[in-house]
Structures are given as structure tokens and as C-alpha cells.
Amino acid sequence: MNSRGTAVTIREVAQAASVSPATVSRALNGPSAVRPDVRDRVLKAVAELGYRPNGRARSLRTRATMVLGVLVSDIMNPFFTAVVRSVEDTAQEAGYSVILANTDEDLQKEARYLEVAAAEQVAGVVLSPASTSQTRVDVLTERGIPVVTFDRRLRTAEVDSVTIDNVQAAREATLHLVAQGCRRIGFIAGLATTTTGEDRLAGYRAALTRSGRPVDERLIARGNYRREGGYAAARQLLHAGRAPDGLFVSNNLMTLGALDALAEAGLRVPEDIAVVGFDDATWALGQRSQLTVVSQPTYELGQQATNLLLRRVGREELPVQRIVLRATLTVRASSRRLAS
Amino acid sequence: MNSRGTAVTIREVAQAASVSPATVSRALNGPSAVRPDVRDRVLKAVAELGYRPNGRARSLRTRATMVLGVLVSDIMNPFFTAVVRSVEDTAQEAGYSVILANTDEDLQKEARYLEVAAAEQVAGVVLSPASTSQTRVDVLTERGIPVVTFDRRLRTAEVDSVTIDNVQAAREATLHLVAQGCRRIGFIAGLATTTTGEDRLAGYRAALTRSGRPVDERLIARGNYRREGGYAAARQLLHAGRAPDGLFVSNNLMTLGALDALAEAGLRVPEDIAVVGFDDATWALGQRSQLTVVSQPTYELGQQATNLLLRRVGREELPVQRIVLRATLTVRASSRRLAS
DNA sequence: CTGAAAGCGCTAACAT
DNA sequence: ATGTTAGCGCTTTCAG
């Protein structure tokens, strides 16, 4: 801080080092041609005055930032925070910083943060959209800011995405329950406004159909991707007609809620009801957890999304990418009813 | 996007509306004096061209942003994400947006993000510092960007903080275990580089001393605030000399890890060992959790920190604030050994 | 190799 | 009430 109580500018550094602002800029920024002794003088002045370049001014001029934005739909969900960490790691390797915002599955909030990202001119945005059709990324794309969605896709915009094959993953999980001898398999679906909500449901239906089972709509409940939602949905299923003997829950937090409901109802897992969840929940249940889950490759998800984004940021021309990663079914005791 | 493929600027809008850039700015920004018909023309042009003000240019000029930064030391920890959500809510009410960064208890990362916050010229920063003495916030304060720490304090800088009384909270928790008849009370401390790490340990010691008990250093282990850290620390305590019959763990994730270790060792809670944790862990253990904990008022923590920050952002002059909130001991079955 | 000058997009003074 | 001018702090031509 100088005597004026304001930030030190490049001109003050220039003056202190008896050079022009342009030279200071050159000394600081590239490996450009500045005489060593001049450079040293500049660096010394920078250090003494505590000069820090004003990022806004710089990127106003250069039309570039080294900051990526990440917009997640629920920051309290460890699946998303895990992806965020991997985005961060990957971005950092490329010299980018990451700022994060939480949209909370709320279209208004999401819209606001998309605007913020546009106004702040981030280099690119990684996004788990709150809605398949109502999320508007054009605010960004119109300004030439690339967007990559992860976990979920947009149907309304032609943007890159990195997801798993949700239909296939849900089908595999459901077929597993069928194979374990479950006769009435319940399903707790996610928000209908998201591709994960729809695709996982489609996979569940497909598996039943393929197994020659009818789809009983009373065995399908919707949740809001939160724990309470899973709890409420599970209770609904338990009290609707004959209780299920198998349950597939399509997201991590809802799985915990469903387990709460099962425990409350005095049901044993897997004896009374076999359970398959989504996403590893070691953060909640511990390493010794015996929950069968569809495991998503969170680290790879974030990594691929970021790398893809960075290619776009680098103005690389390539067709719209839809990267689909493999999810794997991790079978543990919660779903094991037959020796296999 | 205009024909040039770049963002629409205020000049283009001005041209389209046959007014000057200044008028566009006035029409958009304040309730300033612009003739209604002119304003309508401008707004129409804005809509047609899809104009969005360039936030960087604007705040370069106005020296103000409506964005706050939040730097948390572990984004995978629900305690911090809960506070973040409350910061967000509070900021939003005041018209501010919040961007978030994860420092991961890593001084390098933290330093980098403090620089980013400075360069991006956020209006203010809410921070849970990775280190009591090594976290350098002067990057921000020198530029006149106010900082409020939460959860932890800095000893090196005179900045506002919002915390609980950690010494008192830990003392109360420990005394509770004493009152339950525990003879050998173990303690899992946090990082020694944080005020929470030190203060909670101090509270534990104080409680024992006050109860006329010697402090057995073999009953104190350190963890890294993560689940594995709690697990490792608990194992260490279980295998060092006579096992404890009471355990106080000074953070939420470590509590889960400690419970893992206890279960693995076949110890029953509370019969073999009474347990008190820190921070409600319903996100992990469910509403029906029987864990006794020190409950922090997360929402209030974020709210107060944000309000304080906003007062500083508004250039309000006030002495350095150290707001201390009340934490409460929530007694549940995990620590109950005596009818009370 | 260095300096002078222009300008990124916006808003605040100053005119009118 | 509106336009003109200047300048936020920086980088990047263009000269020299």
C-alpha cells in the first residue's frame, strides 16, 4: 500500500525503477527482451512497493484470464466436491485457477452465476446444469466463453459434455438386483429436469423389461437428490402396496436417506431388502461400508471435463464432444442375497 | 454475439439506439435521469444485440465489484460447505455474488488463491485460514480488500474473525465425559497450525486439570482434520498403553474415522468407550444418529462473517472485531454411561 | 532494447 | 437530459 492508501500501479513501479510502464510490463510478463540489469531494477521496485498487477486491467486488455469457473448444482454433495477437486488439480497443472459457485439446483441462482461468469470473463466454465432444457448457457457461449457440462447434459445447447452412460449403469444395477432374486424392485429417481434423473430411470425400466418383468409405477418414486428426498421417497415406496424386496437409489445422498427409512422401518439389508446405491459413499459410511453402488470415476470426470474445456479455451476447433466414461457396479453385501 | 464473433460493447448498443455510450450506461445503471422513451430505445437495443456489460471494464472504472470471495480450507468437509451456503445466502440478500476456492489446508494453494482474489479485485474475502501464523492476508488488506476469518483466527494479522469459543467448547465436552465416569479420556487434536487445533486441545487439558486429573500425553493424538487422520489417531490411542474409556474428537471428519477404528477394534459405544465428536454429522450419520457432539452454529457463523465483511466493504470504520459465538454440547447416546 | 501512444470497455466529470 | 472527454491499469503496436 502506498501513501495514498490505494493499490500500487505499474506507473509507480516504472517511476521507482526509472523506466517506462511498458518496460515493467515486459520485465514481468514474458520472457521477452529486457536487459538483465533493467529487469533486476524493476523486480526490486516491484518487491519494495509490493506491486501486484491488476488482473482486471490486464485481462481487459488481453481479453484472457487464467481463471476457470465451476458451477455445481449442490455443493453439499460430495460427488460434486470430489469432481471439483479434480477440476482444480487439472486446471492448476495448466496454470489456471478455479473459482466455484453453488447453484443449489436453483435455476435463478444458476442464471445469476452464469451472468457473473460472463461478466467476470472467466476463460471457461465447467457446469453441472440444474436443468436439461432451461439452463441457458448462451450468456457464455455468445461471448465466446466455452462451456463443458459434466454429470448431466443439456438438450438445448450444443456444448461438450462428460458423463457416464447413465442408462447402461442403471440397467446393470437393476439387472444385478434381478439376478439376486428380487421380485419387486423399487427405484428412487432423481429430478426429472436432469438427464441423470431421466436416463437412470430409463435404464431401470429397460432392465425390467428385458427381464420380462412388468414395470410397476408404484415402485417408482422421485426424490430431489438430497437426503430428505431419499428418505421421503423410500417411505413412500414402503407404504405403497406390497413392499419392495429390492431397492435401487439413483444418487448418493438419497441413498443415505433411503437407508434411514429402511432402518426406521426395521428392515434388514439385504435380508428383507437388497439395496444398490449410486456413487461411493465412503465419506459417509466409511471404508468398511457394505453398500453395493454404481461407482462413477469422479476424478476422471473432472479431469476430462477440464482438459476438454482447456482445449476449447485454446481455440482448438473440434466437433461437439460427448465423452462417456465407464461406471462400474461395485457389488458388496447390501445387495447380496444369493451365493454367486 | 455480433458478426465479428466478439462480445457486444456499449458503443454498439449506443449506435443502435442512436445515443451516446454514456446514455446507455445511465439507462442501465442507476435510476438516473434518462428520458423514458430514450431508455426504452436503449433497452430494446440491449435486448436485440444481447448486450452484457463487461464486468471487468466496469469495475476497473468504478473500483468496485459485487463479488465476494470465500476461501475454505477443505471443501470436502460439510462443516465448511454449510458455512459457505450461509455466506452465499447472506451475500445474495445484499446483492453480492460469491465465488469460492478450496485451499485444501495447503499454504501454497492458499497463497495462490489469495493472489487471485487480489488480482480479481473481489470486494472482500471470507477465509478459514490454513495457518495461524503463515497465512498472509496482506496481499488483500494492502489493496484495501477487507478480510474476515471464520472458524479459525490469525495471530499474525489484525483482521476480523467469527469463531466459537473453542477452549470453552472443548472444556465442556471433556467435562461431560468426566461426569459420565470416564477415567481415561483420549483426545484427537487437529492441526497444530490452526487456532482450532490449539484451542480445543487447550480446553481438553483445562478440563482435566480442573477435574484434578493428570494429563496423560499418550492419550493425545494429532490428526489432519480428515477421516483417515481420525482413524489413524484413534488406532494410535487404542494401542498406546491402557486403552481409553472415553474419547473426544475435535472435528467432524476425524470423528467418523475414529468411529471406524473403534468399530474395527470391536469396541462398543458407549459401553466400552464413550465418544464425543465435533460438529453435527447428520449428513453422514443420519438424523437418528446417536452421536454426542459439540454443535457449532454454522449458519450464524457464515451470516455474521458476511455481514461483518459487508460493513467493511462499505468502508465502515470500526475496531477489529472478534465475534465469538456460542457452541452447544448436544448430548446423545454415544456418551451416556450414567443415568442423569 | 526501450519509450511513447493508443486503446481494451466502461463510467464520472464536465459541458451543453 | 444528453453528449464529449478523460481515464481506471494494463499491454501492445509502432518508432526510435
Side-chain angles (χ1 to χ4, degrees), chain A residues 76 227 253 256 260 283-285, chain B residues 77-79 82 227 249 251-257 259 275-296 298 330 332:
Chain A
M76 298 286 284
R227 189 169 190 147
L253 297 181
L256 299 181
D260 291 343
W283 44 272
L285 302 169
Chain B
N77 184 330
F79 166 73
R227 188 168 190 148
V249 190
N251 119 310
N252 52 0
L253 297 181
M254 292 198 298
T255 306
L256 299 181
L259 291 175
V275 175
V276 176
F278 223 100
D279 300 321
D280 264 312
T282 46
W283 44 273
L285 302 170
Q287 301 87 328
R288 297 167 308 104
S289 156
Q290 289 307 317
L291 185 66
T292 296
V293 290
V294 175
S295 306
Q296 296 199 62
T298 47
T330 306
R332 301 203 187 90

Side-chain angles (χ1 to χ4, degrees), chain B residues 93-138:
Chain B
E93 277 171 32
Y96 284 79
S97 299
V98 168
I99 61 183
L100 178 61
N102 176 33
T103 68
D104 222 8
E105 304 285 9
D106 176 336
L107 281 167
Q108 309 256 329
K109 271 197 189 181
E110 185 181 60
R112 202 160 53 78
Y113 279 113
L114 287 168
E115 297 264 1
V116 171
E120 297 298 310
Q121 309 262 88
V122 296
V125 169
V126 178
L127 164 75
S128 67
S131 163
T132 302
S133 55
Q134 296 195 69
T135 293
R136 306 297 310 258
V137 293
D138 17 352

Side-chain angles (χ1 to χ4, degrees), chain A residues 16-37:
Chain A
S18 318
V19 294
S20 74
T23 302
V24 176
S25 173
R26 285 190 274 253
L28 255 39
N29 291 336
S32 68
V34 179
R35 249 180 26 224
D37 57 318

Side-chain angles (χ1 to χ4, degrees), chain A residues 242-277:
Chain A
R242 267 190 302 146
D245 59 354
L247 180 62
F248 176 33
V249 191
S250 68
N251 120 310
N252 52 0
L253 297 181
M254 292 198 298
T255 305
L256 299 181
L259 291 175
D260 291 343
L262 300 186
E264 192 176 275
L267 295 172
R268 291 163 307 164
V269 174
E271 293 83 352
D272 300 320
I273 184 165
V275 175
V276 177

Side-chain angles (χ1 to χ4, degrees), chain A residues 29-43:
Chain A
N29 291 336
S32 68
V34 179
R35 249 180 26 224
D37 57 318
V38 177
R39 165 184 232 99
D40 288 351
R41 253 195 358 258
V42 170
L43 263 36

Side-chain angles (χ1 to χ4, degrees), chain A residues 1 5-8 50-57 59-60 63 65 67 74-76 78 81-82 84-85 88-89 92 96-104 109 112-113 115-116 118-122 139 141-144 226-228 231 253 256 259-260 263-264 281-288, chain B residues 1 5-8 50-57 59-60 63 65 67 74-76 78 81-82 84-85 88-89 92 96-104 109 112-113 115-116 118-122 139 141-144 226-228 231 253 256 259-260 263-264 281-288:
Chain A
M1 181 148 66
T6 71
V8 180
Y51 168 71
R52 326 220 142 252
N54 180 327
R56 314 192 85 87
S59 68
L60 178 59
R63 314 172 146 286
T65 358
V67 177
D74 183 7
I75 202 171
M76 298 286 284
T81 53
V84 166
R85 288 203 42 180
E88 204 175 27
D89 287 354
Q92 191 171 349
Y96 284 79
S97 299
V98 168
I99 62 183
L100 177 61
N102 176 33
T103 67
D104 221 9
K109 270 197 189 182
R112 202 159 53 80
Y113 279 113
E115 297 265 0
V116 171
E120 296 298 310
Q121 310 261 87
V122 296
V139 189
T141 52
E142 277 175 4
R143 295 195 135 219
R226 307 241 169 88
R227 189 169 190 147
E228 324 85 71
Y231 175 78
L253 297 181
L256 299 181
L259 291 175
D260 291 343
E264 192 176 275
T282 46
W283 44 272
L285 302 169
Q287 301 87 329
R288 299 167 307 103
Chain B
M1 180 149 64
T6 72
V8 180
Y51 168 72
R52 326 221 142 252
N54 181 327
R56 315 192 83 87
S59 69
L60 178 60
R63 315 173 146 285
T65 0
V67 177
D74 182 7
I75 201 172
M76 299 285 284
T81 52
V84 166
R85 288 203 42 181
E88 205 175 28
D89 287 355
Q92 191 171 348
Y96 284 79
S97 299
V98 168
I99 61 183
L100 178 61
N102 176 33
T103 68
D104 222 8
K109 271 197 189 181
R112 202 160 53 78
Y113 279 113
E115 297 264 1
V116 171
E120 297 298 310
Q121 309 262 88
V122 296
V139 189
T141 52
E142 276 175 3
R143 296 195 136 218
R226 305 242 168 87
R227 188 168 190 148
E228 324 83 73
Y231 175 77
L253 297 181
L256 299 181
L259 291 175
D260 291 342
E264 191 176 275
T282 46
W283 44 273
L285 302 170
Q287 301 87 328
R288 297 167 308 104

Side-chain angles (χ1 to χ4, degrees), chain A residues 76-139:
Chain A
M76 298 286 284
N77 184 330
F79 166 74
F80 289 115
T81 53
V83 175
V84 166
R85 288 203 42 180
S86 116
V87 170
E88 204 175 27
D89 287 354
T90 314
Q92 191 171 349
E93 278 170 34
Y96 284 79
S97 299
V98 168
I99 62 183
L100 177 61
N102 176 33
T103 67
D104 221 9
E105 304 284 9
D106 176 335
L107 281 167
Q108 309 256 328
K109 270 197 189 182
E110 186 181 59
R112 202 159 53 80
Y113 279 113
L114 287 169
E115 297 265 0
V116 171
E120 296 298 310
Q121 310 261 87
V122 296
V125 169
V126 177
L127 164 75
S128 68
S131 163
T132 302
S133 55
Q134 296 195 69
T135 293
R136 306 297 310 258
V137 293
D138 18 352
V139 189

